[in-house]
Amino acid sequence: MLHGNGEVKQGYDWDYLIQSERVHRCVYTDARIFQEEMIRIFGGTWVYLAHESEIPNPNDFKTSNLGHRPIIILRDRQDKIRALFNRCTHRGATVCRETRGCAKTFTCPYHGWTYSNTGKLTGVPWAKGYAADFHRPEFNLGQIPWVESYRGFIFGTLNCEAPDLIAYLGRAKDLLDQWIDRFPNAQITVQSSAHKMIYQGNWKFTYDNAADGYHVAFSHRSLLAVANRLESEKDMQYFSHNPDEGPMYVQYLGHGHMFIDQRPSYEKRDGAFWQQQRPQPGREAYEAKIREKWGDQAPHWLDLSIGSQMNLSIFPNLLIVGNQIEVIEPLAVDRTQLTIYATTIAGVPDEVNVLRMRTQEDFPSFGIPDDMINFAECHRGLSIPEIEWVAMNRGFGISDRHHLDEDGVITGPVTDELAIRGYYQEWKRLMKADFKLTAQAVEHD
């Protein structure tokens, strides 16, 4: 099926594998497709790299990956943000093996070649062993040539034909603005990446799930039971009460981006978000301090200490969930890491940030493990070759169920799979596209 009449230039008939309301199982299980994704999806479009608060000062750096390409995200000596390829141009060893730090230069531990943090080769041991024309640009570190930041979120791409970052974000930009502008002076700081979880399954299971309002009442029963024991309506209970007819909605935003809005389930008044949260141990004392200090303003501050009730997915690897930045990191076709970064904000009482940090322990500890078990079991189920198709047909073909606005945004009930169907069309476009990826740096200062 894949190697007979289905073959096209890249070896697969993508139109056959990605259909209107279903995708073929091999999209999740085929190792060659995974390797092609790492090149074309994670090279051909804008990929989230880091938050500026993780490298706040000149010479600060953080190591990460662009697909399977090891990279160093940094501020150079002149405070310019760069993303260098973490690969010595001599024999290929990584030149930086620390997770983060501060460095003006990087020296390869294998043979001692040294590079400035602009990427320029500055020294080699016993240089007389090389010809006079040795110091050519090709021996400088490679860089991701297009790196841009939007309100602290750093993205990079290898595709010179990709739209500029603002155009790529599209309607997701407005929603990211809403998430940031909840806070008094919009200064967000990444404080922790303590939650790192690995599951035995494909990376797209995480992205699928990020816009899936259908699973909540079933996958997270134990978490919802905590609220039930309190005999009161608490966070996420609204997913249990016929959400098809409720005010929440899901959207496909274009360019692979997706959004679930839980905010319509909350009253429009200060304190409504806080009142509906599940309790966390030890928060009572901080709530009491805020109420004592701030009086009538306390409900406003308490609302900022809990999640935004926005689930914004920026294709292919960035999830904004609650108050957290979540990053999908593909490791292999059947192995994925999800890193959850906790954030704090400036300009609020200290107690608010303490509560924010405590609240950000909640769902990663008690909800995401539910999802990861499902992802692993989905991958296990898809090992059955005789059952080929993965259905994504909820809401498909039902007239008047979805709304298409003038910007091309599609909106429907929160349980529909319209956003998943939408992003797979973008996935297919990138896998089919004929574009050139550029690994060489634009400049080396």
Side-chain angles (χ1 to χ4, degrees):
M1 180 273 297
L2 297 179
H3 310 294
N5 294 332
E7 287 197 356
V8 293
K9 182 171 64 174
Q10 291 98 345
Y12 295 92
D13 184 346
W14 302 116
D15 290 324
Y16 177 73
L17 298 180
I18 308 296
Q19 300 184 10
S20 298
E21 80 291 2
R22 64 182 189 174
V23 304
H24 196 274
R25 57 175 283 277
C26 73
V27 169
Y28 294 92
T29 61
D30 189 302
R32 290 192 301 153
I33 289 179
F34 175 81
Q35 292 301 327
E36 193 77 3
E37 287 178 317
M38 296 303 99
I39 296 169
R40 302 184 68 81
I41 303 295
F42 284 82
T45 194
W46 290 97
V47 176
Y48 175 72
L49 304 179
H51 192 269
E52 286 190 25
S53 64
E54 296 179 85
I55 49 170
N57 304 305
N59 304 315
D60 285 349
F61 71 86
K62 171 188 177 180
T63 53
S64 186
N65 294 283
L66 181 74
H68 275 184
R69 307 165 184 87
I71 59 174
I72 311 167
I73 306 110
L74 57 83
R75 293 182 189 268
D76 68 17
R77 304 174 193 206
Q78 284 72 47
D79 206 29
K80 179 178 179 178
I81 295 175
R82 298 177 182 267
L84 308 179
F85 285 103
N86 193 0
R87 182 232 192 255
C88 183
T89 53
H90 176 219
R91 298 273 288 278
T94 55
V95 299
C96 181
R97 302 176 188 181
E98 301 295 328
T99 303
R100 63 182 60 212
C102 183
K104 294 180 180 180
T105 62
F106 299 100
T107 299
C108 178
Y110 193 8
H111 294 98
W113 284 29
T114 298
Y115 305 86
S116 76
N117 62 11
T118 67
K120 183 178 181 179
L121 178 64
T122 58
V124 297
W126 306 302
K128 290 182 180 180
Y130 292 95
D133 65 345
F134 168 66
H135 285 286
R136 299 191 301 269
E138 66 196 75
F139 291 109
N140 297 329
L141 290 180
Q143 300 189 33
I144 297 176
W146 295 279
V147 176
E148 294 185 24
S149 180
Y150 180 72
R151 302 197 70 178
F153 289 79
I154 304 169
F155 296 81
T157 184
L158 304 177
N159 183 6
C160 66
E161 298 176 8
D164 64 59
L165 179 59
I166 297 300
Y168 177 71
L169 292 174
R171 285 288 293 271
K173 180 187 79 69
D174 299 333
L175 293 164
L176 187 57
D177 288 340
Q178 290 180 32
W179 183 77
I180 294 170
D181 291 335
R182 289 178 66 218
F183 314 128
N185 58 7
Q187 293 185 25
I188 298 167
T189 300
V190 169
Q191 292 288 358
S192 172
S193 58
H195 288 99
K196 290 180 182 286
M197 305 182 191
I198 294 176
Y199 65 88
Q200 300 299 321
N202 190 267
W203 69 274
K204 294 186 294 298
F205 289 124
T206 302
Y207 202 79
D208 295 348
N209 192 72
D212 180 351
Y214 194 28
H215 77 285
V216 177
F218 312 101
S219 295
H220 301 304
R221 287 181 179 177
S222 60
L223 187 58
L224 296 176
V226 173
N228 286 337
R229 287 199 296 270
L230 300 172
E231 298 182 355
S232 60
E233 286 292 313
K234 295 294 181 183
D235 183 35
M236 292 172 51
Q237 286 286 2
Y238 35 73
F239 281 103
S240 303
H241 305 312
N242 192 12
D244 272 4
E245 305 298 328
M248 294 184 294
Y249 56 87
V250 64
Q251 291 183 323
Y252 178 62
L253 307 172
H255 294 295
H257 313 319
M258 310 183 297
F259 180 58
I260 280 182
D261 198 352
Q262 301 178 49
R263 295 172 297 179
S265 293
Y266 291 78
E267 297 179 34
K268 294 183 178 179
R269 60 175 177 82
D270 282 346
F273 278 48
W274 174 259
Q275 183 177 346
Q276 203 159 319
Q277 294 307 293
R278 294 180 300 278
Q280 286 94 33
R283 76 177 188 182
E284 295 86 352
Y286 291 98
E287 177 183 2
K289 287 183 180 180
I290 290 172
R291 293 192 182 281
E292 180 182 357
K293 285 184 179 180
W294 297 96
D296 293 342
Q297 297 180 44
H300 168 72
W301 294 123
L302 291 169
D303 278 351
L304 290 183
S305 69
I306 60 95
S308 63
Q309 311 310 315
M310 300 172 67
N311 295 56
L312 175 61
S313 306
I314 298 178
F315 187 74
N317 67 328
L318 173 62
L319 311 177
I320 304 295
V321 181
N323 290 329
Q324 294 151 183
I325 297 169
E326 301 184 3
V327 181
I328 302 170
E329 300 173 73
L331 303 178
V333 66
D334 58 354
R335 185 173 171 85
T336 305
Q337 178 168 288
L338 182 66
T339 302
I340 300 102
Y341 295 87
T343 66
T344 57
I345 51 178
V348 301
D350 291 342
E351 293 85 358
V352 169
N353 278 322
V354 171
L355 286 174
R356 281 174 63 91
M357 294 299 288
R358 174 48 60 91
T359 300
Q360 290 174 100
E361 296 171 351
D362 179 60
F363 196 77
S365 299
F366 301 107
I368 290 179
D370 296 333
D371 294 326
M372 292 200 164
I373 290 293
N374 284 330
F375 303 159
E377 291 301 315
C378 283
H379 204 103
R380 181 167 176 256
L382 293 186
S383 68
I384 302 171
E386 293 80 11
I387 306 174
E388 295 185 78
W389 296 101
V390 179
M392 297 170 177
N393 58 346
R394 185 164 177 80
F396 183 79
I398 301 176
S399 60
D400 300 324
R401 189 172 174 91
H402 302 146
H403 170 68
L404 176 66
D405 71 16
E406 64 276 6
D407 295 324
V409 174
I410 308 171
T411 302
V414 73
T415 58
D416 278 11
E417 293 163 336
L418 68 91
I420 305 172
R421 294 193 292 271
Y423 100 73
Y424 259 113
Q425 295 306 310
E426 175 68 5
W427 184 94
K428 179 170 70 172
R429 184 189 71 79
L430 289 165
M431 295 296 277
K432 291 173 66 175
D434 184 16
F435 49 70
K436 181 181 179 181
L437 302 183
T438 304
Q440 183 63 38
V442 173
E443 61 173 315
H444 288 299
D445 297 340

